[in-house]
């Protein structure tokens, strides 16, 4: 299993996000709003990038390979086989490229939380992190063994909380900086996690530190079986 994208992400948290959070705290409130949104969206985007990169790096894992080859229903000619064989040592790289292209057209086009859920199922299946079990302390972002939900407006499962974090990012990026959830994201969270989120939200230093804590814990879970 290739964990290098996860290692890079954890280094990013330590070297970039943690110091940035401390710098933001030194600013006056009126100067924080825009910078907080930038740091928050950058953090969420990097987590999404890590998910994609880890899936592609492990494209030969059985579950990923099956997903990648779902659309491979066309006939293979004798000439195609000869061309592959003529590549010699390059045949393995050709196969990797084919699998990765297949994943880009299938798995990587799915909702952020679905990609994360599939990744958990493939590389850390014994951790139980892909279930609906409440495991996130939303006051701190910490992932625990179990947690009693205290706020019915936010998903408390690991994958559900990931969806909620990414939905806030969507509003900022696709809503011109808006802090109002997009209608589609609200509907999806309601359907997938049985939670009716508030119409609006606020991004603060605490939002970043909670996301930082959560993503750090999520990365540890992804590496738990390494």
């Amino acid at each position: 299993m290739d964990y290098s994208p996860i290692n890079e992400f954890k280094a990013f948290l330590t070297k970039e996000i943690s110091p940035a959070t401390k710098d933001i705290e030194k600013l006056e409130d009126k100067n924080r709003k825009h910078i907080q949104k930038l740091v928050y969206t950058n953090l969420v985007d990097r987590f999404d990038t890590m998910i994609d990169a880890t899936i592609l790096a492990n494209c030969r894992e059985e579950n990923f390979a099956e997903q990648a080859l779902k659309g491979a229903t066309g006939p293979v000619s004798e000439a195609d086989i000869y061309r592959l064989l003529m590549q010699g040592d390059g045949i393995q790289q050709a196969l990797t490229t084919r699998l990765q292209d297949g994943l880009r057209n299938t798995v990587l086009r799915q909702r952020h939380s679905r990609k994360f859920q599939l990744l958990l199922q493939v590389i850390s299946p014994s951790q139980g992190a892909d279930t609906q079990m409440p495991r996130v302390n939303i006051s701190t972002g910490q992932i625990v063994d179990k947690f009693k939900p205290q706020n019915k407006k936010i998903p408390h499962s690991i994958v559900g909380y990931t969806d909620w974090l990414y939905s806030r990012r969507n509003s900022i990026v696709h809503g011109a900086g808006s802090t109002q959830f997009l209608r589609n994201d609200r509907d999806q969270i309601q359907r997938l996690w049985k939670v009716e989120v508030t119409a609006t939200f606020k991004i603060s230093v605490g939002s970043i530190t909670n996301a930082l804590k959560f993503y750090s814990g999520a990365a540890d879970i992804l590496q738990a079986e390494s």
Side-chain angles (χ1 to χ4, degrees):
M1 199 76 71
D2 187 343
Y3 296 96
S4 56
I6 304 173
N7 290 329
E8 292 172 8
F9 175 71
K10 293 173 78 170
F12 165 75
L13 296 181
T14 301
K15 296 179 181 179
E16 301 292 338
I17 297 300
S18 185
T21 303
K22 294 177 181 178
D23 289 340
I24 291 174
E25 290 177 336
K26 299 174 183 178
L27 300 175
E28 295 182 9
D29 289 342
K30 64 179 180 180
N31 297 325
R32 288 182 178 181
K33 290 185 178 181
H34 181 63
I35 295 176
Q36 287 171 167
K37 289 180 181 179
L38 288 176
V39 174
Y40 179 84
T41 56
N42 187 29
L43 172 56
V44 178
D45 282 341
R46 287 296 289 266
F47 184 72
D48 186 59
T49 298
M50 180 274 289
I51 292 173
D52 289 356
T54 306
I55 291 173
L56 292 176
N58 294 285
C59 62
R60 290 177 179 246
E61 292 297 315
E62 183 177 357
N63 197 311
F64 290 148
E66 288 179 0
Q67 296 285 333
L69 297 174
K70 272 186 175 179
T73 58
V76 179
S77 68
E78 185 177 357
D80 291 331
I81 295 175
Y82 285 142
R83 290 191 189 97
L84 283 173
L85 293 174
M86 288 169 60
Q87 292 186 48
D89 294 339
I91 192 170
Q92 293 301 320
Q93 181 56 48
L95 175 59
T96 296
T97 299
R98 171 64 185 86
L99 291 173
Q100 291 179 341
D101 287 345
L103 287 170
R104 289 188 179 94
N105 291 323
T106 54
V107 173
L108 299 195
R109 291 191 176 188
Q110 296 184 35
R111 188 169 178 84
H112 171 79
S113 57
R114 175 54 187 150
K115 292 188 299 181
F116 180 48
Q117 186 175 43
L118 181 59
L119 181 60
L120 288 168
Q121 292 168 350
V122 173
I123 76 172
S124 53
S126 70
Q127 302 303 304
D130 62 313
T131 69
Q132 290 270 18
M133 181 185 294
R135 290 187 57 184
V136 181
N137 180 345
I138 62 171
S139 297
T140 63
Q142 183 178 8
I143 298 174
V144 296
D145 290 337
K146 58 182 178 180
F147 188 81
K148 184 177 180 179
Q150 299 174 344
N151 183 328
K152 297 182 179 180
K153 299 294 184 179
I154 301 174
H156 284 68
S157 67
I158 293 174
V159 180
Y161 191 74
T162 306
D163 206 341
W164 181 77
L165 291 175
Y166 196 81
S167 294
R168 296 201 297 178
R169 171 263 181 205
N170 278 348
S171 299
I172 296 169
V173 173
H174 301 298
S178 172
T179 53
Q180 182 170 341
F181 280 105
L182 300 179
R183 182 73 257 179
N184 179 64
D185 284 326
R186 292 179 66 187
D187 291 343
Q188 288 294 329
I189 291 175
Q190 170 70 35
R191 181 179 67 84
L192 294 171
W193 316 113
K194 313 307 180 198
V195 169
E196 186 174 350
V197 299
T198 58
T200 61
F201 59 89
K202 179 182 178 181
I203 297 296
S204 64
V205 175
S207 303
I208 300 170
T209 55
N210 285 5
L212 173 62
K213 171 71 78 173
F214 172 78
Y215 286 143
S216 178
D220 288 340
I221 288 175
L222 288 172
Q223 291 183 313
E225 298 178 26
S226 60

